Amino acid sequence: MTKGNVAITVERCKGCAFCVEFCPTKVLALSPAFNSKGYHPPHVVAPEKCNGCDLCGMFCPDFAIHGWREKKA
Amino acid sequence: MSELVSLHENPTEQFLRTDRMPHIWCPGCGIGTTVNCFTRALLDSNANLDKVSVVSGIGCSGRVAGYLNLDSFHTTHGRAIPFATGLKLARPDLDVVVYSGDGDLFAIGGNHFIHAARRNVDIKVICVNNLVYAMTGGQTAPTTPGDALTSTSPYGTFEPSFNLPQLAEAAGAVYVARWTTYHVRQLAKSMFEMFNKKGFAFIEVLSPCPTLYQRRNKMGDGMETLRQYKELSKRKDGASTSEVGLTRDGEIVVGKFVDRDRPDYATLMKAHYQHTMGDKYVETGAIICQ
């Protein structure tokens, strides 16, 4: 499987959890931590499962997350 | 993580006025999702971004123009389409996109919508439909489906609502599609197709309004609505638009309903004036360049 990565801009997150719900490989979960606005941002719980499809980036209404695929060497 | 962020920027980032982030849309609102799809479609289409302009009206989705780092204009209420028509006539080289909400485009600006569609002005209209007037406090909109509670109808609405794809088709739009914010890939593809279409193209995007519609109707948050979209939506490409009306809890028919060709306004105008005025006719684009 293609190796993917996901990057989260914690401070923009409003905790809607769309990325957590619609991640096809269930890479994300809502973090128990808060950001400065008091929302629970997502964090990566299963990085090895991420295939970089960027569906989280398409769903995120706050432009706070995106995924990408690592180029094969 | 911060190193990764700098190495790999969010594809939407280059289109945003980042000094205005975070935006004011509520948690669970779908407008940001539609912006993601719009930017992915722009990237795919390899459009010259200096030639893309976004016009918005008033409302929550009207703020898109202010957040996008393109040539954008935030017009008065309901007048996004007249402004866009003028812009397209004066600068035919621009790709003009109208990005607005259901209240702005179909209530206050309903008249402009049908006439722009009738004339087949070459503008692209994206309507983010959240079923109420959200920014002004959740009043009944022409798209509010039957029996929904709003701030102006505490006992439920009884008015029949607009079926936007049918209205657009009847008025003469050449491209009509409906998606929800759950259908992100399909929506991005549809927007891409819209850019390549000459004439009046219209996409309706159903979007949750957790603060003013879902909450009042005890329909849960934005996530609940997306789950509902997933469950209730049914893709029927080419379906007759008269059969795709929305009800409060019924099936949501999504897909591309109309894709046809008609001569657009600029083509007709040019042909007519060249016929009647002959050599005296000078195109608007040529006048402005001088």
Side-chain angles (χ1 to χ4, degrees):
Chain A
M1 196 171 72
T2 324
K3 178 81 186 83
N5 278 307
V6 57
I8 302 160
T9 314
V10 170
E11 285 307 313
R12 274 194 197 164
C13 179
K14 288 179 188 158
C16 67
F18 289 174
C19 53
V20 176
E21 173 88 6
F22 296 112
C23 173
T25 53
K26 302 290 167 213
V27 173
L28 303 158
L30 280 191
S31 156
F34 294 99
N35 65 11
S36 64
K37 298 234 179 206
Y39 295 111
H40 291 288
H43 66 158
V44 180
V45 288
E48 71 287 351
K49 285 189 191 165
C50 181
N51 67 7
C53 68
D54 192 34
L55 203 61
C56 50
M58 296 281 282
F59 270 107
C60 181
D62 296 282
F63 321 117
I65 189 170
H66 71 285
W68 73 93
R69 286 191 171 132
E70 276 176 15
K71 279 180 190 148
K72 280 174 191 163
Chain B
M1 212 57 176
S2 59
E3 275 178 30
L4 294 176
V5 173
S6 60
L7 280 174
H8 285 273
E9 206 179 51
N10 189 332
T12 311
E13 201 72 14
Q14 56 179 301
F15 295 96
L16 296 177
R17 296 176 201 252
T18 44
D19 53 320
R20 309 204 58 184
M21 294 288 124
H23 55 61
I24 64 154
W25 296 318
C26 306
C29 169
I31 300 172
T33 308
T34 68
V35 174
N36 284 325
C37 299
F38 180 65
T39 55
R40 300 302 195 284
L42 272 181
L43 284 173
D44 288 345
S45 67
N46 291 322
N48 178 0
L49 298 183
D50 292 335
K51 299 273 181 194
V52 177
S53 59
V54 177
V55 184
S56 285
I58 299 298
C60 294
S61 30
R63 297 193 67 88
V64 169
Y67 291 135
L68 283 176
N69 195 13
L70 299 165
D71 289 336
S72 54
F73 196 81
H74 195 176
T75 65
T76 46
H77 207 350
R79 314 302 170 221
I81 288 181
F83 184 89
T85 306
L87 187 60
K88 185 69 191 177
L89 286 176
R91 291 286 303 275
D93 55 323
L94 295 182
D95 282 328
V96 183
V97 181
V98 173
Y99 213 122
S100 205
D102 53 310
D104 186 75
L105 285 172
F106 290 94
I108 298 94
N111 166 32
H112 303 302
F113 180 90
I114 55 173
H115 289 291
R118 172 179 64 83
R119 293 170 178 143
N120 200 18
V121 185
D122 186 17
I123 56 177
K124 318 295 165 210
V125 180
I126 298 165
C127 172
V128 183
N129 183 359
N130 54 12
L131 309 175
V132 284
Y133 293 121
M135 187 167 271
T136 50
Q139 293 86 353
T140 306
T143 45
T144 310
D147 211 27
L149 303 183
T150 68
S151 63
T152 48
S153 63
Y155 298 100
T157 45
F158 52 88
E159 302 169 17
S161 62
F162 263 147
N163 177 357
L164 303 185
Q166 190 184 14
L167 179 69
E169 185 187 11
V174 293
Y175 185 96
V176 180
R178 175 198 278 151
W179 299 103
T180 73
T181 52
Y182 171 71
H183 301 87
V184 282
R185 300 262 189 232
Q186 294 89 332
L187 176 58
K189 189 168 169 248
S190 207
M191 286 177 175
F192 172 77
E193 285 179 359
M194 183 175 77
F195 283 124
N196 295 324
K197 193 81 193 163
K198 182 101 175 154
F200 190 90
F202 171 69
I203 298 182
E204 176 190 7
V205 192
L206 281 174
S207 163
C209 180
T211 312
L212 288 157
Y213 184 75
Q214 265 78 24
R215 182 176 56 89
R216 211 166 251 130
N217 287 289
K218 310 246 182 308
M219 291 165 83
D221 55 4
M223 177 66 83
E224 206 57 48
T225 314
L226 252 69
R227 284 197 196 108
Q228 200 189 16
Y229 288 160
K230 184 179 176 182
E231 211 174 288
L232 297 177
S233 58
K234 196 165 184 187
R235 184 169 181 169
K236 287 183 189 168
D237 285 327
S240 164
T241 50
S242 60
E243 290 157 15
V244 301
L246 294 172
T247 52
R248 200 186 129 171
D249 299 306
E251 186 182 77
I252 302 166
V253 181
V254 297
K256 180 170 77 175
F257 304 131
V258 177
D259 192 350
R260 59 185 172 187
D261 289 303
R262 281 171 65 210
D264 78 305
Y265 185 75
T267 312
L268 290 174
M269 183 176 76
K270 189 177 167 187
H272 179 72
Y273 283 138
Q274 277 179 340
H275 177 69
T276 51
M277 293 169 74
D279 295 338
K280 282 190 285 181
Y281 176 62
V282 184
E283 281 186 64
T284 45
I287 297 172
I288 287 173
C289 290
Q290 286 162 12

